[in-house]
Amino acid sequence: MYCLNKVVGWVISPMGILFLGMGLGVVLRCRCRKIGAWVIGATLLVVWFLSTNLGVRVIGLPLEGEEAPEVGTLQVGGYDAIVLLGGGMGVHEKCGRAEMYQGADRVWHAAKLWKAYHAEGDGMKMTLSGGDASKSTIPLLRDLGVEGDVFLMFEEARNTEEEAKLISAAGIKRVLLVTSAWHMPRAKMLFERAGIEVVEAPCDYEMHAVGEVPFGFWDLLPSSDAQMRCAYALKEWIGRVGYWAKFTILGK
């Protein structure tokens, strides 16, 4: 299932649609020039849409909902852990230093939550996943003021569903969940299905960055930045539909 998800994720990405659509169009042109031309034209139109801020506004903004309340306004106490999903961090192989990538503000947000809601002796942990976290995310969290032996690593988790099950098995039942706003509804659903009470703490409002600016001519011009956001949005929509089918139709 994990490998299938990866393949489907590439197929429905803007680049996947471009390569597969153009390839299909070229093949069809050998048999019927008109149909092949229509497929190529439709592919270019879809890829254009998924490479513009217009596309971000249409398929990205609805994922995020309203912005979350400021840190400090949530209920104090009673959390077993702060769950930091991903974190947008990595390690540069050649020089060994930590690198901050897209979504790295999740780490900063988790550190702010820690300072706001952690009390001495309350036993609250911070969970992380990913093989590079010990060399990248944890050092940054230390620099941001997260102290002590508080980290729980779940390196074997390959996706959010697996991570939720592992965290639940570790006895953690109430968490502050930190992830990108566009990913929060699906992540919350998966954690609740694993028997964990979730208090949302979203950040990384990728789509809001586009929606807060008035619509204009530049929204119709393709850009790599817009294409990246649309790729995230497409993957998230497919994920939501996939899990809905898995839990509702297949009953798993």
Side-chain angles (χ1 to χ4, degrees):
M1 182 61 71
Y2 174 77
C3 294
L4 178 61
N5 289 339
K6 289 294 185 181
V7 171
V8 172
W10 180 81
V11 169
I12 55 90
S13 70
M15 286 295 98
I17 292 171
L18 177 62
F19 279 98
L20 294 177
M22 293 298 288
L24 178 61
V26 169
V27 170
L28 290 175
R29 275 179 61 89
C30 296
R31 295 181 176 272
C32 179
R33 293 179 60 87
K34 189 173 183 179
I35 294 178
W38 273 103
V39 170
I40 291 173
T43 298
L44 292 175
L45 181 62
V46 170
V47 173
W48 162 80
F49 175 75
L50 295 176
S51 301
T52 65
N53 283 338
L54 173 63
V56 177
R57 292 175 186 272
V58 173
I59 68 173
L61 276 177
L63 291 171
E64 292 186 338
E66 299 296 325
E67 289 197 41
E70 290 293 323
V71 170
T73 61
L74 300 173
Q75 176 183 335
V76 177
Y79 305 110
D80 296 323
I82 294 174
V83 174
L84 173 56
L85 294 182
M89 298 289 295
V91 176
H92 195 289
E93 292 292 337
K94 292 184 178 180
C95 61
R97 66 169 181 264
E99 296 285 350
M100 301 175 69
Y101 304 125
Q102 200 74 21
D105 41 347
R106 297 184 191 184
V107 183
W108 181 46
H109 192 58
K112 289 197 298 180
L113 290 168
W114 179 264
K115 291 180 179 179
Y117 298 108
H118 166 65
E120 190 69 31
D122 65 3
M124 187 167 72
K125 300 293 186 178
M126 183 176 294
T127 74
L128 306 109
S129 60
D132 290 335
S134 61
K135 299 178 182 179
S136 56
T137 308
I138 290 178
L140 177 56
L141 286 167
R142 297 289 192 201
D143 289 343
L144 293 172
V146 181
E147 301 176 345
D149 185 20
V150 300
F151 299 111
L152 292 178
M153 295 289 297
F154 296 94
E155 297 181 0
E156 64 270 41
R158 298 176 298 175
N159 55 38
T160 305
E161 183 180 16
E162 291 183 2
E163 188 167 352
K165 291 177 180 178
L166 289 169
I167 290 174
S168 179
I172 294 173
K173 298 303 179 185
R174 189 167 190 263
V175 304
L176 281 167
L177 183 60
V178 179
T179 189
S180 297
W182 47 267
H183 181 239
M184 179 59 76
R186 179 161 62 99
K188 180 182 180 182
M189 178 266 293
L190 292 171
F191 271 79
E192 289 178 341
R193 284 189 64 88
I196 299 173
E197 182 184 349
V198 172
V199 176
E200 299 179 38
C203 60
D204 187 33
Y205 284 81
E206 293 285 345
M207 315 303 169
H208 270 65
V210 173
E212 290 172 352
V213 179
F215 182 82
F217 171 75
W218 296 106
D219 287 316
L220 303 177
L221 299 182
S223 71
S224 58
D225 186 65
Q227 187 178 97
M228 176 192 65
R229 287 187 168 93
C230 282
Y232 286 152
L234 271 178
K235 182 179 178 181
E236 185 61 23
W237 280 117
I238 293 298
R240 293 188 186 186
V241 172
Y243 277 114
W244 173 83
K246 178 179 178 179
F247 298 140
T248 305
I249 298 177
L250 300 179
K252 294 184 178 181

